[in-house]
Amino acid sequence: MSDWTYTVSVRSLCEFTAKRGSLDRRFTPSATALEGQAMQLAVLARRSPGYEIELPLEAMHGHLRVRGRADGYEADVNRLEEIKTIRGPVDLIPENRRALHWAQLETYGALIAADRGLAELELALVYVDADTQHETVLRDKFSAAALQAAFEARCAQFEAWAAQEAAHRSARDASLAALPFPLGELRPGQRLLAEAVYRVAANGRHLLAQAPTGIGKTLGTLYPLLRAMPGQRLDKIGYMTCKGTGRITALEALHALREAAPTKALRVLTLVAKEQACEHPTKACHGDACPLAHGFYDALPAARAEGLQAGWLDAPAQRRIALKHGVCPYYLGQELLRWVDVVVGDVHHAFDPHGQLYGLAQAQGWKLALLVDEAHNLVDRARDMYSASLSLERVRSAVADAPKVLQPPLRRLAKELATLARAQPADYQPLKAIPDDLAEALQRVNTALGEHVQNHPLDVGPLLEFYFDVLGLQRLLDRLDTHSLCDLQRSAATRQAAPLDAPVNLSLLEDDDDGTTDVLLSVRNIVPGFFLKERFEGLHSVTLFSATLGPPDYPRDLLGLPDSTAWIDVPAPFPPEHLTVRVAPLSTRYEHRQASLNPLVDVIATQFAEAPGNYLAFFSSFDYLEQASQRLALRHPEVPQWSQARAMGEAARRGFLDRFVEGGQGVGFAVLGGAFAEGVDLPGTRLIGAFIATLGLPPVSPLQEQVRERLDAMFGADHGYADLVPGLQKVVQAAGRVLRSVDDKGYVWLLDQRYRRPDVRALLPAWWQL
């Protein structure tokens, strides 16, 4: 490997060589990326006309190619600047973070001095407050020789690690280029899917893949993308899941692929949620509070080396290595993320505003490709990521938890929220914007809480969580547009009475009639594509796959995918005659349910008598489920049955599924869209049929009407984006529980005559023979 070259960003070089001491991840109010860009423009406006920005700089040192973009250079005074947007006083920036900022600036200084033949240079670290635009400038002069010496020392410190990483990359690519399919031969539908994934990766495009259960989608997507990794020089692959069960399947597939490879060079990491990985959840992430944060960066090199030597880094492995070296498992995982090849985690890591995988990929310039499993869930998951709400009850609770200095702004926020609610003509009211008085009160609370958490950085608890909520709401209100809906809801609240000697709650009751009405202010995202469009543009390739993605315009429009996104509908591996699909001529509309209950349960009983076995029966609500269950027990007591409960823990869910044994007989009642409507695998005779007594349409409500009007205005009333498309996706998902392998046979009963309508039929699988 004498001719190897390793490219590293200035940021990565400095983070590797300059970080020392304890972990300090106490929450301090930070600027958003947009605020950072705005502050850079504000700084630029104050500089001379010849001020240069975003200077691309690069240099070789031995086998290292170091490159990056310096923020700004003012030739008139020979000054290079690094601009950092902050909130609050500069002296609150931890010393080790400030040292990192200087290391980056000095490295840029060495690069520009060498590039332009400068003998010396003034360096300026500029901290700009996002709220006041005030600049705090730290300056120092350096000779080019001193900067070059520091640069060479950093490169020398990193070069041994770079040699190791270059060797790993070479071995990984060689192994993947010769990777055999672990099961010998790809199935026919699986091969079509794999070829499509490989093509879009090779062309740097995105793919929507609708592929039915039974073809092996996990291996059918991972295998071709791993094979494409060397030729496309991909830095990382992310396998993103919408549900936790998908991560288990992905890790099983990756383990099989890693075992099949000529060498086990592939590094695989599971991204773990902080609340699951934290060993000391009541302590702040700071060396003075948590023992696993103390001296974190001093112990990190040994833990990092052991982790990468292991290569297989699921959650237990991360915890074992971290505790062995006395470091935080969660933040060790965040550090290891920089050096692994495949990442398995929840979709929020890639699509949430604060997603670690996407954020780090952009900062480090990685070439990243994603696979998104069960992608029909991504629209709703992304909507949640870009939505926020705040209730009057929550503000009242915050007042009770807050020190006296914070109570006045919180009281005012409660008062303005209650005032707005009283002024509305209905219990549900869409808002074009919130009143200025409420906006000002919310801003004052954010400012006051921001100052509080800065001055009390080791405090964790309900008040900090409340601050996260109001800060998130504020940021979404600042970006409110047609993609999201702002609304207000009033509802009766059953609040626990506060002690009579609590003056804060007594005063709040004066603002709100009798104190029994709660108010919810929400920003509800309707079209997440407004926020995700930039994400898709910044990724090399994304494959979104599910058994229920169609019609293709639905995910394209709502997720903001580019027009060039490819579409494939993989044929079912089952002979059509293996699934008997029937439509019952009855109505499950709300106004017809009582009248249709008898014929509905008669269909269930007749089918059970003709083909005894295990069935699932899906309903639109628990109320409807209970009515049908009771009626079936009354008219056909000979049919064994069991039901999903309104609140089921893990043990109860397992007990429900354990009733579906091979050769068993009975009907399990469940809610469509719930825990048993997807992600459930009951092959063979564990399940032979499903009854679906709904079209999955959302209930009629003022909120749903607003969503429908918004989507119809943006995409057209004939698309059914608000109700019919997502409803029938749930139906097809539920029906997909029946056939799990090519040898399975079964029945699906669609218990509503509306399934005969052409617009409904068009959204069902083409191979279903109705």
Side-chain angles (χ1 to χ4, degrees):
M1 265 190 45
S2 59
D3 59 345
W4 65 274
T5 299
Y6 189 90
T7 300
V8 62
S9 68
V10 169
R11 179 169 178 167
S12 292
L13 175 67
C14 294
E15 285 176 339
F16 189 92
T17 59
K19 275 190 174 180
R20 295 290 182 271
S22 296
L23 187 71
D24 186 355
R25 291 298 181 93
R26 301 168 295 179
F27 179 79
T28 53
S30 60
T32 65
L34 288 175
E35 288 171 330
Q37 294 168 10
M39 290 305 101
Q40 285 201 336
L41 291 175
V43 170
L44 175 61
R46 301 171 191 153
R47 301 301 188 256
S48 65
Y51 189 80
E52 302 175 57
I53 62 170
E54 293 290 316
L55 287 78
L57 297 169
E58 181 178 311
M60 290 292 299
H61 179 82
H63 294 285
L64 292 183
R65 176 184 289 111
V66 182
R67 62 187 182 190
R69 287 184 178 273
D71 286 338
Y73 176 64
E74 199 162 4
D76 293 348
V77 292
N78 192 29
R79 181 187 302 133
L80 185 71
E81 295 185 330
E82 178 75 6
I83 302 167
K84 301 292 184 184
T85 305
I86 61 170
R87 273 195 166 90
V90 170
D91 56 14
L92 291 177
I93 300 172
E95 187 58 39
N96 60 354
R97 195 173 303 171
R98 203 181 310 184
L100 175 61
H101 296 162
W102 271 111
Q104 290 174 337
L105 180 54
E106 290 170 12
T107 303
Y108 284 124
L111 296 179
I112 196 171
D115 183 65
R116 303 197 178 188
L118 304 175
E120 64 176 8
L121 184 65
E122 182 176 84
L123 302 182
L125 189 54
V126 183
Y127 291 108
V128 189
D129 191 292
D131 295 322
T132 64
Q133 295 194 12
H134 174 73
E135 293 183 32
T136 300
V137 184
L138 309 177
R139 293 191 178 97
D140 205 348
K141 284 192 175 181
F142 295 83
S143 68
L147 292 171
Q148 183 65 21
F151 171 69
E152 291 176 359
R154 289 190 187 95
C155 290
Q157 186 179 348
F158 184 76
E159 194 160 15
W161 182 265
Q164 170 193 296
E165 289 307 293
H168 164 74
R169 180 76 169 244
S170 178
R172 180 202 77 180
D173 287 353
S175 181
L176 292 180
L179 179 65
F181 189 67
L183 301 182
E185 293 290 334
L186 286 95
R187 305 169 193 169
Q190 192 178 43
R191 179 173 293 279
L192 287 175
L193 176 61
E195 289 171 350
V197 173
Y198 188 89
R199 281 196 301 270
V200 295
N203 296 324
R205 295 173 62 195
H206 304 320
L207 172 68
L208 289 165
Q210 182 165 271
T213 300
I215 69 163
K217 292 190 287 291
T218 306
L219 276 173
T221 54
L222 273 168
Y223 175 69
L225 196 53
L226 287 170
R227 287 296 302 264
M229 205 171 189
Q232 297 305 308
R233 304 191 61 80
L234 297 178
D235 296 299
K236 282 181 181 34
I237 290 172
Y239 191 100
M240 306 287 99
T241 67
C242 291
K243 297 197 174 183
T245 53
R247 291 191 283 283
I248 298 172
T249 305
L251 288 172
E252 290 173 350
L254 283 164
H255 187 268
L257 287 161
R258 195 167 181 263
E259 291 296 313
T263 61
K264 296 180 183 178
L266 194 69
R267 296 171 179 169
V268 178
L269 172 82
T270 302
L271 279 172
V272 185
K274 186 175 182 181
E275 57 269 21
Q276 295 173 345
C278 183
E279 296 287 321
H280 302 286
T282 61
K283 300 181 184 296
C285 299
H286 183 269
D288 294 338
C290 178
L292 298 181
H294 183 74
F296 177 88
Y297 290 108
D298 301 326
L300 174 62
R304 179 172 56 204
E306 182 173 344
L308 297 187
Q309 179 65 30
W312 185 259
L313 295 162
D314 58 5
Q318 292 176 55
R319 183 175 186 270
R320 174 182 55 78
I321 294 168
L323 296 184
K324 174 182 175 181
H325 294 273
V327 297
C328 171
Y330 175 73
Y331 285 108
L332 174 62
Q334 298 302 295
E335 291 293 330
L336 291 172
L337 171 58
R338 301 164 183 267
W339 311 105
V340 298
D341 307 308
V342 182
V343 180
V344 178
D346 186 83
V347 289
H348 84 265
H349 293 294
F351 298 105
D352 186 83
H354 309 291
Q356 299 102 317
L357 178 59
Y358 179 79
L360 199 55
Q362 295 305 296
Q364 302 292 341
W366 292 337
K367 200 171 184 181
L368 172 65
L370 297 183
L371 300 171
V372 182
D373 189 11
E374 299 294 351
H376 63 278
N377 289 300
L378 186 57
V379 170
D380 284 343
R381 287 292 310 277
R383 282 172 170 165
D384 289 343
M385 294 173 199
Y386 295 92
S387 298
S389 62
L390 179 67
S391 70
L392 181 57
E393 174 63 19
R394 187 79 190 281
V395 181
R396 288 176 172 142
S397 298
V399 176
D401 293 331
K404 288 185 178 179
V405 68
L406 292 177
Q407 290 179 2
L410 287 167
R411 286 172 183 262
R412 184 184 170 197
L413 178 59
K415 178 179 180 179
E416 296 298 339
L417 200 50
T419 299
L420 175 61
R422 284 197 300 271
Q424 303 308 314
D427 286 341
Y428 175 81
Q429 191 66 38
L431 304 171
K432 291 184 178 179
I434 62 173
D436 291 343
D437 288 345
L438 178 56
E440 182 183 350
L442 184 63
Q443 182 62 55
R444 286 182 181 273
V445 165
N446 272 317
T447 301
L449 287 173
E451 292 174 355
H452 175 77
V453 299
Q454 283 181 329
N455 295 326
H456 303 83
L458 298 184
D459 286 353
V460 294
L463 201 58
L464 183 60
E465 292 300 317
F466 176 78
Y467 179 44
F468 290 160
D469 289 345
V470 292
L471 190 61
L473 179 64
Q474 179 70 66
R475 287 175 172 171
L476 288 175
L477 283 168
D478 290 343
R479 302 185 71 182
L480 187 63
D481 208 329
T482 55
H483 53 74
S484 298
L485 172 66
C486 181
D487 61 29
L488 195 75
Q489 286 180 300
R490 291 190 302 232
S491 62
T494 54
R495 295 186 290 111
Q496 183 177 357
L500 293 178
D501 60 351
V504 56
N505 279 348
L506 291 176
S507 67
L508 284 176
L509 295 181
E510 297 170 2
D511 296 327
D512 181 29
D513 299 328
D514 60 359
T516 61
T517 298
D518 197 13
V519 178
L520 185 69
L521 175 67
S522 302
V523 176
R524 308 174 194 271
N525 178 246
I526 309 299
V527 184
F530 176 85
F531 299 100
L532 301 185
K533 184 176 185 293
E534 183 180 355
R535 303 241 163 172
F536 287 115
E537 291 172 350
L539 294 163
H540 173 73
S541 178
V542 181
T543 292
L544 301 100
F545 59 98
S546 167
T548 51
L549 269 184
D553 284 348
Y554 178 74
R556 278 198 192 107
D557 289 342
L558 294 190
L559 294 175
L561 286 157
D563 293 339
S564 61
T565 300
W567 163 262
I568 182 174
D569 191 354
V570 180
F574 321 107
E577 60 270 18
H578 277 207
L579 186 67
T580 301
V581 184
R582 296 171 179 164
V583 177
L586 52 85
S587 172
T588 61
R589 294 179 188 271
Y590 185 80
E591 62 269 24
H592 301 150
R593 284 181 185 171
Q594 287 304 315
S596 64
L597 266 180
N598 284 348
L600 186 150
V601 300
D602 289 348
V603 169
I604 294 176
T606 301
Q607 173 63 41
F608 183 82
E610 292 178 355
N614 286 329
Y615 293 82
L616 272 167
F618 294 100
F619 295 83
S620 56
S621 67
F622 280 104
D623 285 342
Y624 194 15
L625 177 155
E626 289 162 3
Q627 293 169 20
S629 173
Q630 292 166 9
R631 190 66 59 89
L632 180 66
L634 181 65
R635 291 176 64 83
H636 304 282
E638 74 281 3
V639 178
Q641 61 165 287
W642 56 96
S643 295
Q644 177 181 358
R646 292 177 186 268
M648 297 180 78
E650 181 61 34
R653 289 196 296 270
R654 193 180 310 114
F656 181 93
L657 292 175
D658 286 345
R659 299 284 297 271
F660 293 88
V661 297
E662 287 284 348
Q665 295 183 9
V667 180
F669 284 74
V671 171
L672 189 71
F676 306 113
E678 63 175 278
V680 170
D681 193 24
L682 300 170
T685 60
R686 291 185 66 189
L687 183 72
I688 67 165
F691 305 95
I692 304 174
T694 171
L695 268 69
L697 305 180
V700 177
S701 69
L703 170 58
Q704 179 60 26
E705 183 61 18
Q706 287 294 318
V707 173
R708 187 193 62 75
E709 289 181 3
R710 187 68 56 92
L711 290 173
D712 285 355
M714 296 179 71
F715 303 111
D718 58 340
H719 284 65
Y721 284 0
D723 40 41
L724 196 57
V725 171
L728 291 179
Q729 284 186 345
K730 294 177 185 177
V731 168
V732 178
Q733 275 291 323
R737 300 314 94 206
V738 177
L739 299 189
R740 308 301 295 174
S741 72
V742 293
D743 297 322
D744 287 354
K745 296 180 180 181
Y747 306 87
V748 169
W749 272 94
L750 305 174
L751 304 179
D752 196 296
Q753 59 198 13
R754 287 174 290 176
Y755 281 104
R756 294 289 187 192
R757 283 176 14 195
D759 60 329
V760 174
R761 181 66 187 88
L763 295 172
L764 299 176
W767 63 276
W768 283 10
Q769 296 181 351
L770 273 70

